[in-house]
């Protein structure tokens, strides 16, 4: 019974490159969330998606960041033209459909992005 | 906007003692409040959820209280063990009393160190 799977666990990019982080939700879960944890800061909500639909992206930076959750395959958080300030741990969480959601989020182990 | 405050100073206690962690929030009272555990380099793991109409909730050696008048939750670990050493995060749903969205606001966490 696999949990939330994220890859890569560690990613190093140079300034100006692109970073793609992937997340596969738990089996039976239809909703995915992305959170960012900057060094010495708490977890911050970024975006909430279901298959082929962004439900809420109010926490996403206005530029360079995008997220998708296609019909087939994992959810992807994409950061274009990375800057040093993007260095952080990016966590994905999943939940069942709203009708079954009890409040608990299931988190992956995170993807740690380092921008040189 | 809603804010969560957790004691940023590390809590050091002796094995066998009870650890008590505090979570204070401002503004609206949420429909529920959650506690997560996070180990270094790992993702948060859900521990307990307490609803606004519940005063106290227990799970094994863990106990959570929720005082909507004080806007505070206390998290207790009884008979603490070195394996309990971790960072503990308090979280509220951004929907407030409207219920579940999975968009959580997290506190910065309190690091607990249990010494043998």
């Amino acid at each position: 019974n696999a949990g939330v799977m994220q890859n890569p666990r560690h990613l190093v990019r140079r300034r100006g490159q692109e970073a793609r982080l992937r997340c596969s939700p738990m089996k039976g879960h239809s909703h995915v969330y992305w959170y960012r944890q900057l060094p010495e800061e708490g977890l911050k909500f970024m975006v909430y998606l279901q298959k082929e639909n962004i439900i809420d992206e109010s926490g996403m930076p206005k530029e360079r960041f995008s997220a998708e959750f296609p019909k087939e395959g994992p959810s992807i958080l994409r950061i274009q033209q990375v800057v040093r300030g993007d260095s952080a741990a990016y966590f994905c969480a999943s939940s069942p459909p709203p009708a079954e959601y009890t409040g608990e989020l299931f988190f992956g182990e995170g993807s740690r992005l380092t921008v040189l | 906007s809603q804010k969560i405050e957790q004691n940023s100073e590390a809590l050091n206690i002796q094995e066998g003692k009870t650890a008590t962690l505090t979570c204070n929030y401002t503004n609206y009272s949420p429909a529920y409040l959650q506690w997560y555990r996070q180990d270094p380099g790992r993702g948060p793991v859900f521990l307990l959820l307490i609803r606004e109409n519940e005063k106290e909730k227990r799970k094994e050696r863990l106990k959570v209280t929720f005082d909507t008048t004080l806007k505070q939750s206390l998290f207790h670990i009884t008979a603490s063990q070195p394996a309990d050493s971790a960072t503990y995060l308090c979280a509220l749903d951004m929907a407030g009393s409207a219920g579940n969205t999975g968009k959580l606001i997290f506190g910065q966490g309190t690091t607990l160190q249990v010494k043998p």
Side-chain angles (χ1 to χ4, degrees):
Chain A
N1 184 19
V4 177
M5 303 300 291
Q6 290 189 248
N7 67 81
R9 292 291 309 277
H10 299 275
L11 182 63
V12 179
R13 286 287 179 266
R14 295 190 181 280
R15 280 178 297 170
Q17 291 184 319
E18 178 178 289
R20 282 187 182 228
L21 311 177
R22 289 174 290 277
C23 169
S24 295
M26 278 183 69
K27 188 176 180 181
H29 284 189
S30 57
H31 289 64
V32 163
Y33 308 77
W34 286 94
Y35 284 79
R36 178 166 66 173
Q37 190 170 38
L38 291 165
E40 308 304 324
E41 290 190 22
L43 283 154
K44 296 276 195 297
F45 167 79
M46 298 180 76
V47 62
Y48 170 31
L49 312 101
Q50 64 180 108
K51 290 280 187 185
E52 300 183 285
N53 184 32
I54 295 175
I55 300 173
D56 187 323
E57 56 181 349
S58 57
M60 288 278 269
K62 299 258 185 287
E63 298 176 347
R64 303 187 297 108
F65 285 71
S66 62
E68 63 176 3
F69 191 10
K71 188 177 181 181
E72 301 291 337
S75 175
I76 295 174
L77 180 67
R78 182 183 178 204
I79 311 171
Q80 295 178 287
Q81 299 176 323
V82 296
V83 300
R84 288 217 174 103
D86 297 332
S87 296
Y90 293 83
F91 291 96
C92 173
S94 73
S95 70
E100 302 167 28
Y101 179 55
T102 57
E104 174 183 354
L105 287 184
F106 296 80
F107 282 86
E109 296 289 27
S111 291
R112 278 149 188 83
L113 172 66
T114 301
V115 180
L116 301 177
Chain B
S1 61
Q2 182 71 286
K3 289 186 180 179
I4 297 177
E5 294 174 355
Q6 293 186 256
N7 192 343
S8 58
E9 292 183 13
L11 179 62
N12 295 300
I13 64 168
Q14 206 65 36
E15 182 176 8
K17 300 292 186 185
T18 296
T20 299
L21 286 67
T22 304
C23 173
N24 295 295
Y25 59 92
T26 60
N27 299 337
Y28 60 84
S29 280
Y32 58 84
L33 184 148
Q34 303 182 39
W35 285 88
Y36 286 79
R37 168 181 173 147
Q38 187 174 25
D39 290 279
R42 308 292 298 273
V45 175
F46 172 82
L47 295 175
L48 280 168
L49 179 151
I50 185 166
R51 301 194 180 278
E52 59 181 338
N53 60 350
E54 297 174 317
K55 294 292 184 194
E56 180 181 298
K57 200 150 192 184
R58 292 175 186 261
K59 179 183 174 183
E60 298 173 352
R61 293 183 296 110
L62 309 180
K63 184 179 87 171
V64 171
T65 62
F66 193 8
D67 188 326
T68 55
T69 302
L70 292 178
K71 296 187 177 180
Q72 182 181 81
S73 174
L74 298 178
F75 176 80
H76 306 272
I77 305 176
T78 58
S80 60
Q81 304 166 1
D84 295 326
S85 299
T87 296
Y88 292 86
L89 309 173
C90 170
L92 306 176
D93 197 297
M94 290 188 198
S97 57
N100 303 340
T101 63
K103 290 169 53 181
L104 301 181
I105 303 170
F106 281 88
Q108 282 196 254
T110 298
T111 298
L112 172 66
Q113 188 71 37
V114 181
K115 297 181 180 178

